[in-house]
Amino acid sequence: MIITITDDFDLKKIADSGQCFRFNEVTGTGTGDEGASCRRYSVAAGSRHVFVKELGQNRYDFDCSEDEFETFWKRYFDLDLSYSEIRGRIDQKKDPYLFSASQYGKGIRILRQDPWEMLISFIISQRKNIPAIKASIEKLCALAGDVICEDKVCGKIYSFPTPSQLSRLSMEELSGCSLGYRDKYVHQAALDVASGAVDLEAWRELDDDGLMENLLKLFGVGVKVANCEILFGYHRLDAFPKDVWINRVLDTRYPDGFPFDDYAPYNGVMQQYLFFYSRSEGMQ
DNA sequence: AGGCAGGTTCTTA
DNA sequence: TAAGAACCTGCC
C-alpha cells in the first residue's frame, strides 16, 4: 500500500519523540539488498503491527491492506490534521526559540494511541530512561501478549497485553520485567481496568478537568503521567506534560512563563517540539 | 562508588 | 499544604 503524504511526516523523528515505545527503525533488510537507502520502521500499536518503508519524495510503503490503512493507520498517524498549519502559528520574531525547535522537529505528529497502552507505558516511564522503558514494555508484551507478526529480521512481534492479560500476571512475573517499584502500580492499573472499575473508553466523554481528576486517582499516576496520558492516550492536543527536560527549557528560555494562550489548543504539539529539540542538543 | 534517569507516594512538620 | 525522603533497576 503506497501512500503519498505531503504534510509534516518524519518517521524517524516520531520514533524518537518519546511519545511511543514500540515504534522503531529496523536496521538490516533481511533480504540483503534493495533497502540500503530506504529506511524501514516497525510500528506496533495494541494488537496491530505494520512495517513502513520510506520511499522518498513523500512516498511511503505501508505493509498492510488498503482497508487496514484507511480504517486504522491513517487515523493512528493523525493524517487528517495539518501539522504544518499548526507549526505555522509560531511567529519567528515573537518566539525565535520555539520557531527553531519547530523547524528542527518538523515532521513530528502526535499519534492517536490507545489510552490503556499509554497509561501502562507512562506509569512505567517514571524515573526511567527511554531504552529502559522500551525494554520493560517489550518484556511485558512477550510475557502476556499474543504473537501478531513474525519477521525474518525482527523475529516475533507481540501485541500489547489487554487489561485482562496483564492482570493475570503474578507480581513475580511483573518484577521479571524490570519494573522495579512500579510493578505494583502496573498490577493495580490492570486490576482496575480489567474489573471494569476504571473505564478508560468511557473517560473520553469527560471534560479536561474531569479526565485529569480521574487519572490522578489511579495508583502511581501523578500530574506528569496524567498529562502524558491526556496528550498521547486521549489525543487532547492542548495537554502540556512537564518533565525534567521541559522544565529545564521553561526555566532557561521562558523565565516569564510559556505563552500558552498563543498556541491553544495545540500546546501539546509545541511541547513535543521543545522536548525533541532540548533532548537532541543536550540543551546547550 | 555514587549519582542519575521523562515521578509518585509516603512521611513529617 | 508543603517540603523531603524513599523507591527498583540499569548504566555510566
Side-chain angles (χ1 to χ4, degrees):
Chain A
M1 180 81 235
I2 294 177
I3 306 287
T4 298
I5 299 169
T6 53
D7 189 38
D8 293 9
F9 188 80
D10 188 314
L11 293 167
K12 182 168 180 54
K13 291 179 189 174
I14 295 170
D16 294 339
S17 66
Q19 63 177 300
C20 48
F21 304 102
R22 307 195 67 209
F23 189 137
N24 299 296
E25 185 175 346
V26 181
T27 51
T29 62
T31 53
D33 55 348
E34 83 170 289
S37 61
C38 70
R39 291 202 176 103
R40 181 170 171 247
Y41 293 81
S42 167
V43 185
S47 60
R48 296 184 188 251
H49 176 270
V50 71
F51 286 112
V52 187
K53 249 192 278 187
E54 284 179 343
L55 303 179
Q57 296 174 320
N58 298 327
R59 286 157 58 81
Y60 298 87
D61 185 2
F62 284 73
D63 182 25
C64 67
S65 68
E66 178 173 2
D67 183 60
E68 186 175 353
F69 178 81
E70 288 297 329
T71 58
F72 186 81
W73 295 110
K74 186 176 175 182
R75 177 183 145 81
Y76 177 83
F77 282 99
D78 202 22
L79 292 179
D80 287 330
L81 183 63
S82 170
Y83 283 77
S84 61
E85 201 172 298
I86 294 172
R87 241 180 344 98
R89 293 170 161 239
I90 303 165
D91 185 322
Q92 182 171 13
K93 286 183 179 167
K94 203 171 171 187
D95 195 341
Y97 185 76
L98 181 57
F99 186 82
S100 300
S102 70
Q103 291 293 301
Y104 186 82
K106 176 184 173 183
I108 293 175
R109 311 177 72 78
I110 311 280
L111 304 172
R112 287 186 181 269
Q113 300 188 81
D114 178 64
W116 160 248
E117 182 168 345
M118 289 300 95
L119 177 64
I120 297 301
S121 298
F122 282 100
I123 284 176
I124 291 171
S125 78
Q126 58 190 260
R127 296 260 324 162
K128 268 179 177 284
N129 56 34
I130 289 177
I133 299 166
K134 288 184 170 182
S136 284
I137 292 175
E138 284 314 312
K139 286 183 195 170
L140 274 184
C141 294
L143 199 56
D146 305 310
V147 176
I148 51 174
C149 178
E150 205 151 354
D151 177 74
K152 284 175 190 166
V153 178
C154 300
K156 289 180 178 172
I157 294 169
Y158 298 85
S159 62
F160 192 85
T162 64
S164 161
Q165 285 176 322
L166 200 55
S167 70
R168 275 181 250 133
L169 291 185
S170 65
M171 292 305 288
E172 288 71 30
E173 290 175 305
L174 284 176
S175 59
C177 298
S178 306
L179 300 180
Y181 62 86
R182 309 158 193 81
D183 56 2
K184 53 187 181 291
Y185 303 154
V186 169
H187 184 65
Q188 188 59 52
L191 289 178
D192 288 345
V193 178
S195 72
V198 165
D199 186 343
L200 297 175
E201 288 304 318
W203 288 6
R204 289 185 192 277
E205 309 305 318
L206 298 172
D207 63 26
D208 292 350
D209 290 343
L211 182 56
M212 173 61 83
E213 192 183 334
N214 279 7
L215 287 169
L216 290 179
K217 286 180 193 159
L218 300 176
F219 189 37
V221 176
V223 172
K224 191 273 176 178
V225 170
N227 269 305
C228 286
E229 170 74 344
I230 292 171
L231 178 57
F232 303 123
Y234 287 95
H235 203 75
R236 299 199 185 183
L237 300 185
D238 210 35
F240 194 92
K242 291 177 184 171
D243 50 51
V244 291
W245 294 93
I246 288 294
N247 281 329
R248 264 173 238 166
V249 172
L250 295 185
D251 288 347
T252 58
R253 304 288 177 171
Y254 299 92
D256 300 324
F258 186 76
F260 292 105
D261 292 343
D262 292 349
Y263 305 117
Y266 298 112
N267 281 296
V269 179
M270 306 308 165
Q271 190 271 8
Q272 281 290 278
Y273 293 139
L274 292 174
F275 179 74
F276 189 72
Y277 193 46
S278 68
R279 280 183 56 101
S280 65
E281 57 178 23
M283 191 50 207
Q284 294 181 341

